[in-house]
Amino acid sequence: MLNKITIEAQKRTGVGKEAVKKLRDQGFLIANLYGKAKASISLTMNYIELHKSLFTGNGKNNLYEIKLEGKSYDAISYELQLDHVSKAIIHIDFKIVKEDEKVRVRVPVKPSGTAIGTKKGGTLQQKVQVVVMNVLPSEIPQYVEPDVSGMDIGAEMRISDLPIPPSAEIIKLPPHQKVFVILGGTQ
């Protein structure tokens, strides 16, 4: 089961560039929280606390418990805006999720193991870097991590071969799409 990251938030009252600049100067991150049939809530939260959380666990796909005025909301980060120069986070949107409703996430594909074919001089070519999937929030994987160790020269691994959580469904790519192939070498 995926661990939730708890983060405290406050409703944002000030609007406009001056108010936002002042909040950022005080170490706050500007955020929005929204969900189905729920009006968007403007928030502030501790910049350092949120920044750290984006580099742990599932990164951008972490499941958050946002505590706001005595209430708790389960959410995932939905959109992240970065400063073009400094790459600092300037805004984040959170989408409220429910335990029993699938969410759409982008998950990196990362091979594990050393392919037999590469030991024979072949090259492992990765054709898909990221997959988009609908999955229950509690099953969001950090990576899709297929074992390529059994792949020999000429072998292919397709979307349908990827190990994904039981509730997950990969979308936007057909099941026959190649993910990994072993090219060249001597047999």
Side-chain angles (χ1 to χ4, degrees):
M1 176 118 174
L2 187 65
N3 289 333
K4 286 183 198 171
I5 296 173
T6 302
I7 199 156
E8 298 283 336
Q10 301 79 37
K11 277 192 179 176
R12 180 168 59 109
T13 53
V15 293
K17 287 183 182 181
E18 291 297 319
V20 168
K21 183 178 177 347
K22 187 175 179 180
L23 287 167
R24 286 187 180 129
D25 289 346
Q26 294 172 354
F28 290 103
L29 177 64
I30 308 304
N32 283 334
L33 177 67
Y34 64 92
K36 289 180 184 173
K38 177 133 186 86
S40 178
I41 304 169
S42 295
L43 307 171
T44 60
M45 50 187 57
N46 182 289
Y47 181 92
I48 293 170
E49 187 179 340
L50 182 73
H51 188 270
K52 272 195 273 187
S53 75
L54 289 171
F55 297 99
T56 61
N58 285 3
K60 188 178 178 293
N61 290 332
N62 280 327
L63 183 60
Y64 289 90
E65 177 184 14
I66 298 177
K67 295 196 172 211
L68 176 68
E69 297 179 342
K71 293 182 182 177
S72 271
Y73 301 93
D74 287 345
I76 59 170
S77 66
Y78 192 70
E79 188 172 328
L80 192 64
Q81 293 177 352
L82 302 176
D83 181 275
H84 295 294
V85 177
S86 70
K87 302 301 180 200
I89 303 167
I90 56 175
H91 183 90
I92 189 166
D93 285 342
F94 287 97
K95 184 177 180 181
I96 296 171
V97 297
K98 294 182 180 176
E99 249 178 59
D100 60 346
E101 289 183 12
K102 292 181 181 184
V103 294
R104 181 172 294 183
V105 292
R106 294 173 48 88
V107 180
V109 177
K110 178 178 149 184
S112 71
T114 303
I116 294 168
T118 61
K119 294 176 185 175
K120 294 179 179 179
T123 303
L124 176 68
Q125 187 178 65
Q126 185 168 352
K127 300 202 171 268
V128 174
Q129 309 297 321
V130 174
V131 291
V132 178
M133 66 174 64
N134 290 330
V135 62
L136 290 174
S138 62
E139 293 184 354
I140 298 171
Q142 182 174 9
Y143 304 103
V144 174
E145 201 166 12
D147 182 3
V148 297
S149 56
M151 292 180 70
D152 206 342
I153 293 170
E156 301 174 344
M157 184 178 291
R158 301 177 183 279
I159 290 290
S160 60
D161 300 324
L162 295 177
I164 58 174
S167 72
E169 170 192 9
I170 294 176
I171 58 174
K172 298 189 177 188
L173 292 172
H176 62 274
Q177 168 74 46
K178 295 176 189 173
V179 180
F180 294 104
V181 295
I182 304 287
L183 302 173
T186 57
Q187 292 186 319

